[in-house]
Amino acid sequence: MGLLRYSINVTLDGCCHHEAGLPPDEESMAYWTARVAEADALIYGRLTYEMMESAWRRPASGPWPDWMTAWDIPFAESIDRAKKYVVSGTLDAVDWNAELLAGDLPAEIRRITRGSNGILAVGGVTLPLALADLGLIDEYEFLVHPVLAGRGPTLLSGLRERISLEVIDRREFPSGVTAQRYRPILVSE
């Protein structure tokens, strides 16, 4: 059965908005490239899917845009070819190597995890909150940036119940970014 891992960039004050001043550097892009490459599939909500597609889908013309650095291209290539699932009640169809999930969310996620033996990477803000509330996330992975945003959406804001976590991995980059991975502590009743 596949492992459902929620991964996201976050500031020290918990902001998880992509415009929170979290500029990618070569090291964090290499980290995310490896994470995307190791995933069996990526699972996004509509907004995250559309945002990622607009930034990282290979242009129909073939070459990558001039704004991409040498260390952006491996990430772009990895995410471009990755299998994707998109959770949406408003989209009629998706492409970019994606399958639309519009039915019962817990049932769809369980179907996908049962059909996988690897990692299923969840990204975004709204969808992971719903999955956390349902107890479906097996691992949480945060790249914590040494930035105080002071505004914007915060990580898992609105979570219905507290989730206790245990650290399973921690890595510090020279930039001050830390990659932190956790798993929920199962509480027996």
Side-chain angles (χ1 to χ4, degrees):
M1 188 148 145
L3 180 131
L4 195 61
R5 178 188 291 154
Y6 172 39
S7 301
I8 193 165
N9 288 301
V10 63
T11 65
L12 284 172
D13 58 345
C15 183
C16 53
H17 195 270
H18 70 281
E19 294 176 348
L22 304 176
D25 59 20
E26 186 172 359
E27 193 170 34
S28 62
M29 285 303 283
Y31 184 86
W32 285 126
T33 300
R35 286 306 203 214
V36 168
E38 78 179 356
D40 279 2
L42 311 175
I43 305 173
Y44 296 139
R46 180 188 58 83
L47 288 174
T48 301
Y49 169 76
E50 289 174 345
M51 180 182 69
M52 298 302 263
E53 182 184 30
S54 71
W56 302 111
R57 185 175 189 158
R58 182 180 292 277
S61 63
W64 293 106
D66 291 341
W67 64 262
M68 285 190 182
T69 66
W71 38 270
D72 286 322
I73 292 173
F75 178 81
E77 289 173 343
S78 187
I79 197 168
D80 187 60
R81 71 177 161 259
K83 169 70 177 160
K84 298 162 199 78
Y85 293 97
V86 182
V87 176
S88 176
T90 59
L91 293 175
D92 294 323
V94 292
D95 59 3
W96 195 38
N97 198 26
E99 177 183 327
L100 183 62
L101 304 178
D104 176 7
L105 180 61
E108 290 284 359
I109 296 300
R110 287 185 185 103
R111 175 183 66 83
I112 294 166
T113 56
R114 277 194 304 271
S116 170
N117 288 321
I119 296 166
L120 299 162
V122 177
V125 178
T126 306
L127 174 61
L129 173 62
L131 296 174
D133 274 337
L134 291 167
L136 295 175
I137 297 178
D138 300 305
E139 287 186 1
Y140 294 82
E141 178 178 46
F142 309 121
L143 249 65
V144 182
H145 295 256
V147 172
L148 297 172
R151 60 179 166 70
T154 55
L155 187 64
L156 298 169
S157 179
L159 192 62
R160 289 187 307 214
E161 299 287 330
R162 175 185 165 144
I163 299 173
S164 295
L165 304 171
E166 64 179 334
V167 176
I168 55 175
D169 191 35
R170 186 177 188 286
R171 177 177 160 199
E172 187 169 335
F173 300 153
S175 65
V177 170
T178 58
Q180 302 173 24
R181 204 158 42 99
Y182 302 87
R183 74 174 144 237
I185 299 171
L186 300 176
V187 178
S188 55
E189 298 181 45

